[in-house]
Amino acid sequence: MAVPVSQAWTVATYVLKQKLMGRKRYPLVLMLEPLFRCNLACAGCGKIQYPAHILKSELSPEDCFKAVEECGTPMVSIPGGEPLLHPKMPEIVAGLVARKKYVYMCTNALLLKEKLHLFKPSKYLSFSVHVDGQREHHDFSVCREGGYDIAMEGVRAAVAAGFRVTTNTTLFDGADPNSVRAHFDEMMAAGVESMMVSPGYTYDKAPDQNHFLGKAKSRRMFRAILSNRNKEWRFNTHPLFSEFLMGKQNFECTPWGMPTFSIFGWQKPCYLLQDGYADSFQELLDTTNWENYGAKSGNPQCANCMVHSGHEASAVDYNFSSLKGFFVTAKKYMFSSLYPDAGAEKLLNEWRPEHTNPLIQIQASASAAKTELQPISGD
């Protein structure tokens, strides 16, 4: 399996409990953001454009533990910013592991190799390394030449040390499906446990607004990428979420499924939008106008969103909402498909990279306190 059996069992029993309790809205994964500062300045990121005093702020370990206990979910994702810049990240991770939470610590891996000794391998801990494709495409996406080689050095070091390692790939307009498929082969060869892939979201704060995918382009691209699979590929996503990306399923967003807690509090309504904050998780549930979000709402900010943080929880909820959902999902896990598709094969063979404007490069210090915009070339 792409995840340990113990993790799959823990998540399944947790969701069943929520269903038996009659909870319509429940969290699946806590998105815990202990800081926003980063040692990269990616043009598609909307997290590091804050003023210096915000970028210097961070959650304490106690803040993190309180949020996790309040939320109650068995899984915690730690994005950022770059979590390895937090001086107490080893303490935070150790505390979550001690609480038997399944932790995905997101990282660009620039510091992973040198800080690896501060962590202990555990079935509860996975380093989720952000790798946006093959070398050239990754370096272009993160706006740093040589970033891929450093990240992969960290991946190999973590795998060799016995850690669980997954990868997280975000795709933007102009991505080449053939290259993405080759990237999957490379990740499997590097020994990663499993992979996650998702289209990028149009952050309002992102300097580059020209490379985000709309729904039609997303479905076409993911159909080409995820059909006719290599049997060695392992994905750390619900199979129905993959089908959603390919245009085979239609899920509405469940923004409460992956709530976000940061230095500002509980973010309304989700990891991607900032429409205010709540002081407690219960307040988040009670005071957010959930009907104003998701594709059906007509909210233009949600119109083209297909990302993992909004829709994978929807696939999981469908899994446990009816006998049909349960048996459909069970079949997907027991008899996993390589999704043979002659039309998708034709798409791959005929795919031609579209001409796009160059990404914007942001020169930033390690604290990301200062930014300077300038274009970089790339095709």
Side-chain angles (χ1 to χ4, degrees):
M1 292 184 66
V3 298
V5 173
S6 60
Q7 180 176 336
W9 176 255
T10 298
V11 173
T13 53
Y14 165 79
V15 175
L16 281 172
K17 180 180 178 182
Q18 307 310 306
K19 291 293 184 180
L20 291 173
M21 292 172 61
R23 295 186 68 185
K24 180 181 177 182
R25 299 188 179 108
Y26 59 90
L28 182 67
V29 180
L30 171 61
M31 309 293 281
L32 179 65
E33 290 187 294
L35 79 174
F36 292 140
R37 65 181 179 273
C38 189
N39 49 2
L40 282 177
C42 306
C45 178
K47 294 293 183 180
I48 64 166
Q49 311 309 317
Y50 289 99
H53 72 282
I54 297 296
L55 294 176
K56 291 177 181 178
S57 300
E58 57 196 25
L59 294 176
S60 69
E62 292 71 25
D63 293 331
C64 296
F65 303 149
K66 180 181 177 182
V68 170
E69 296 294 342
E70 186 180 350
C71 184
T73 178
M75 293 191 291
V76 180
S77 176
I78 307 179
E82 170 50 54
L84 288 176
L85 290 175
H86 195 300
K88 294 189 176 180
M89 186 50 56
E91 181 181 342
I92 292 171
V93 168
L96 297 178
V97 168
R99 289 166 171 78
K100 296 185 178 181
K101 302 296 182 180
Y102 286 93
V103 179
Y104 285 86
M105 207 210 75
C106 305
T107 176
N108 57 40
L110 296 183
L111 297 172
L112 183 55
K113 186 177 179 180
E114 69 179 76
K115 291 187 179 280
L116 207 55
H117 68 283
L118 300 175
F119 300 88
K120 293 181 179 180
S122 168
K123 71 176 184 179
Y124 294 105
L125 171 63
S126 175
F127 289 112
S128 178
V129 180
H130 190 89
V131 188
D132 272 343
Q134 291 185 288
R135 179 181 287 103
E136 183 178 357
H137 185 79
H138 174 82
D139 289 356
F140 180 65
S141 294
V142 303
C143 303
R144 173 163 175 164
E145 187 174 350
Y148 177 89
D149 291 329
I150 299 173
M152 291 309 299
E153 189 176 357
V155 165
R156 294 187 187 96
V159 169
F163 287 93
R164 294 179 59 195
V165 180
T166 61
T167 57
N168 180 0
T169 300
T170 304
L171 299 182
F172 296 90
D173 194 14
D176 179 356
N178 291 284
S179 177
V180 175
R181 290 169 63 89
H183 160 68
F184 291 162
D185 291 336
E186 292 172 355
M187 296 303 98
M188 292 292 94
V192 305
E193 176 182 284
S194 55
M195 306 172 290
M196 185 176 75
V197 61
S198 183
Y201 177 76
T202 53
Y203 284 106
D204 289 339
K205 292 179 179 292
D208 186 349
Q209 293 291 318
N210 298 318
H211 290 79
F212 294 103
L213 285 161
K215 281 189 174 179
K217 281 188 174 182
S218 288
R219 292 184 179 121
R220 179 171 178 264
M221 177 180 290
F222 281 98
R223 179 189 175 193
I225 293 170
L226 296 175
S227 299
N228 307 302
R229 298 183 185 182
N230 183 328
K231 64 180 180 180
E232 303 299 325
W233 294 350
R234 296 185 302 276
F235 292 100
N236 185 30
T237 49
H238 195 283
L240 295 185
F241 173 68
S242 294
E243 291 189 1
F244 167 71
L245 294 178
M246 299 163 71
K248 295 178 179 292
Q249 299 285 345
N250 185 28
F251 292 118
E252 276 296 305
C253 177
T254 50
W256 55 84
M258 297 190 183
T260 299
F261 183 78
S262 72
I263 58 174
F264 298 127
W266 293 94
Q267 182 171 313
K268 297 183 179 182
C270 67
Y271 178 63
L272 302 168
L273 296 180
Q274 293 171 304
D275 286 349
Y277 294 87
D279 292 330
S280 69
F281 178 66
Q282 192 60 49
E283 181 186 337
L284 173 75
L285 291 179
D286 294 343
T287 64
T288 304
N289 295 319
W290 300 109
E291 65 277 6
N292 293 340
Y293 303 99
K296 273 189 177 179
S297 71
N299 188 330
Q301 292 180 292
C302 304
N304 284 310
C305 182
M306 296 181 69
V307 299
H308 149 266
S309 61
H311 295 88
E312 184 161 20
S314 308
V316 174
D317 187 70
Y318 171 80
N319 187 166
F320 292 94
S321 292
S322 66
L323 283 175
K324 178 184 176 182
F326 177 81
F327 284 116
V328 166
T329 304
K331 184 178 178 181
K332 298 293 181 184
Y333 279 110
M334 293 172 64
F335 307 103
S336 58
S337 174
L338 301 181
Y339 296 96
D341 184 337
E345 185 70 28
K346 188 173 184 288
L347 273 176
L348 281 175
N349 292 334
E350 296 178 352
W351 195 279
R352 297 291 181 271
E354 299 178 16
H355 176 73
T356 56
N357 295 323
L359 282 173
I360 294 173
Q361 171 73 73
I362 310 172
Q363 300 293 345
S365 65
S367 66
K370 298 179 180 179
T371 60
E372 177 183 352
L373 302 180
Q374 64 182 49
I376 64 169
S377 61
D379 297 313

